[in-house]
Amino acid sequence: MNIHENYMQRCIDLALQGAGSVAPNPMVGAVLVYQDRIIGEGYHEKYGEAHAEVNCLKSVSVSDREFINSATLYVSLEPCAHYGKTPPCSQLIIDHHIPKVVIGCSDPFAKVNGKGISNLREAGIEVVVGVLEEEARELNKRFFVFHQQKRPYIILKWAETADHFIASNSKDRLLISNEYSNRLVHRWRSEADGILVGTNTALKDDPALTNRLWKGKSPIRLVLDQNLKVPNTSKLLDSEVMTIVFNQTISSADSQIIYAQIDFNEPILPQVLEFCYQYPIQTILVEGGAKLLQSFIDANIWDEAWVIQNRDLKVNGGLLAPILKVQELTETFPLANDQISIYRNSSTIN
């Protein structure tokens, strides 16, 4: 790595600390460097609060503040150029007379998308764009899909036996993944904005779909329930977490439960994704059941699949696991007797 790439990698590492806390905003890290010495750094910590550039400048010590107007600012994503929850960071940089800014990648959000870079250059600031660009885009792949494809980023998740079943022929619930994998799943939940299941899963398993084994928030619960079969006694309707019920008959909302009416005689997934895009829900973790998971695969509306396989468990019959298409294995690792496999949809990989 050259010196620019080293500092940009630090920006990316900082940005990752905001995972699960900043959506629908992107994760962003910033580093301020004077004569090859970091004098400030920060990241976007929470949605609605200060951006990375603000936190970076705030972190500069009193003794180093005189060097700000001679320093180089590294930031993983193009500084914003609009008033949202906070003022535009491009103007903040201009106001601090920072002479050079190095950017990982441009921002696809329509209110930014090159405007931040233009503002900086028009103010006479030297701007370098595209340092570790691939890594910077990967950092915010969910954000990029949301704004470029106008839909949530879709992650499919299931656990399967060594012989590729997600349920046995028994009426009893089949416990497949181990305690370490379960904790990982709750970490995944903390980093998602929504979590989706169908009616059968809601009725058979009565899942809470909350994050109980990891720090951070629980995702918004999304339930496909055409004829409102899920009873009010269900954990999904306990009002502990915001829940959206997609159904055929009613539209209503209170503080924690939204009934969203859609037409089940038309393709369901586009309606659900359009609702979630408008809400906005940037990332959806689809947890089942098999029919719902396969419907996303067959429609080729998915970005990643996270599969937990118990290598020791075989049931020799039952409900088969979904079958992926156009997948690319990007990562695999063991967790005790479970094997975790991460797939990307090779037809949507940029």
Side-chain angles (χ1 to χ4, degrees):
M1 281 189 175
N2 61 38
I3 193 68
H4 281 343
E5 291 174 341
N6 284 335
Y7 290 129
M8 190 58 66
Q9 184 60 55
R10 177 59 181 164
C11 291
I12 292 171
D13 292 342
L14 286 166
L16 282 167
Q17 296 183 55
S21 300
V22 302
N25 283 353
M27 294 178 284
V28 184
V31 173
L32 190 65
V33 179
Y34 175 71
Q35 293 186 349
D36 293 333
R37 179 171 66 89
I38 293 176
I39 62 172
E41 60 181 29
Y43 65 97
H44 185 26
E45 298 177 13
K46 188 176 181 181
Y47 175 69
E49 296 185 0
H51 287 188
E53 298 92 330
V54 175
N55 289 330
C56 176
L57 288 167
K58 281 183 177 179
S59 76
V60 178
S61 67
V62 173
S63 60
D64 282 332
R65 295 198 71 78
E66 64 179 297
F67 304 126
I68 291 177
N69 61 7
S70 301
T72 297
L73 178 68
Y74 293 82
V75 60
S76 56
L77 188 71
E78 176 183 3
C80 62
H82 67 291
Y83 284 87
K85 295 283 186 180
T86 61
C89 292
S90 56
Q91 188 59 51
L92 177 73
I93 295 166
I94 294 168
D95 291 344
H96 278 80
H97 305 288
I98 297 171
K100 184 174 182 178
V101 179
V102 180
I103 297 169
C105 64
S106 59
D107 188 332
F109 182 43
K111 291 183 178 180
V112 184
N113 199 10
K115 298 182 182 71
I117 294 169
S118 295
N119 289 351
L120 296 176
R121 285 176 171 157
E122 288 171 5
I125 295 171
E126 180 186 352
V127 180
V128 178
V129 183
V131 174
L132 293 188
E133 182 173 11
E134 183 177 340
E135 292 85 347
R137 288 177 61 86
E138 178 69 16
L139 168 70
N140 282 306
K141 57 193 174 186
R142 303 179 183 189
F143 180 78
F144 274 79
V145 164
F146 187 78
H147 287 287
Q148 292 178 332
Q149 300 189 32
K150 310 300 182 186
R151 65 164 176 83
Y153 191 89
I154 303 300
I155 301 169
L156 311 179
K157 171 262 165 184
W158 70 84
E160 63 179 38
T161 63
D163 49 353
H164 306 292
F165 291 94
I166 65 171
S168 67
N169 288 319
S170 168
K171 292 183 179 180
D172 296 329
R173 186 177 180 184
L174 180 64
L175 300 178
I176 298 175
S177 53
N178 63 43
E179 60 179 311
Y180 306 106
S181 298
N182 291 341
R183 186 163 297 181
L184 176 62
V185 168
H186 284 236
R187 174 186 169 184
W188 290 340
R189 288 179 179 178
S190 77
E191 296 174 358
D193 304 306
I195 183 167
L196 175 65
V197 296
T199 307
N200 289 339
T201 297
L203 291 174
K204 183 177 179 180
D205 297 343
D206 191 21
L209 299 184
T210 54
N211 168 31
R212 304 177 300 279
L213 303 177
W214 197 262
K215 63 180 181 178
K217 63 175 177 61
S218 292
I220 296 172
R221 301 180 294 199
L222 310 170
V223 189
L224 287 173
D225 187 15
Q226 178 177 358
N227 298 312
L228 299 175
K229 293 181 179 179
V230 178
N232 290 334
T233 54
S234 165
K235 293 175 185 174
L236 291 175
L237 301 178
D238 62 10
S239 296
E240 179 181 338
V241 178
M242 174 68 74
T243 302
I244 300 172
V245 181
F246 295 98
N247 71 96
Q248 183 76 38
T249 56
I250 63 172
S251 239
S252 66
D254 60 29
S255 61
Q256 289 292 79
I257 307 291
I258 296 174
Y259 287 90
Q261 187 176 3
I262 62 173
D263 187 353
F264 280 76
N265 295 314
E266 298 293 331
I268 297 169
L269 298 187
Q271 297 177 73
V272 171
L273 298 187
E274 175 61 21
F275 182 97
C276 292
Y277 175 74
Q278 297 296 336
Y279 194 80
I281 295 173
Q282 188 177 104
T283 303
I284 297 176
L285 181 60
V286 184
E287 286 214 6
K291 183 179 178 181
L292 178 60
L293 288 160
Q294 194 65 51
S295 71
F296 276 93
I297 296 168
D298 292 345
N300 199 33
I301 307 175
W302 65 280
D303 300 288
E304 293 188 57
W306 299 343
V307 182
I308 303 168
Q309 185 180 61
N310 184 326
R311 295 173 293 180
D312 296 335
L313 177 63
K314 292 185 178 182
V315 292
N316 300 312
L319 183 61
L320 281 168
I323 300 174
L324 287 172
K325 306 169 184 177
V326 296
Q327 75 272 19
E328 178 178 300
L329 180 64
T330 60
E331 184 179 2
T332 183
F333 57 91
L335 273 180
N337 60 318
D338 287 347
Q339 186 73 22
I340 315 298
S341 298
I342 310 295
Y343 299 92
R344 290 279 292 272
N345 185 339
S346 57
S347 70
T348 63
I349 295 174
N350 293 327

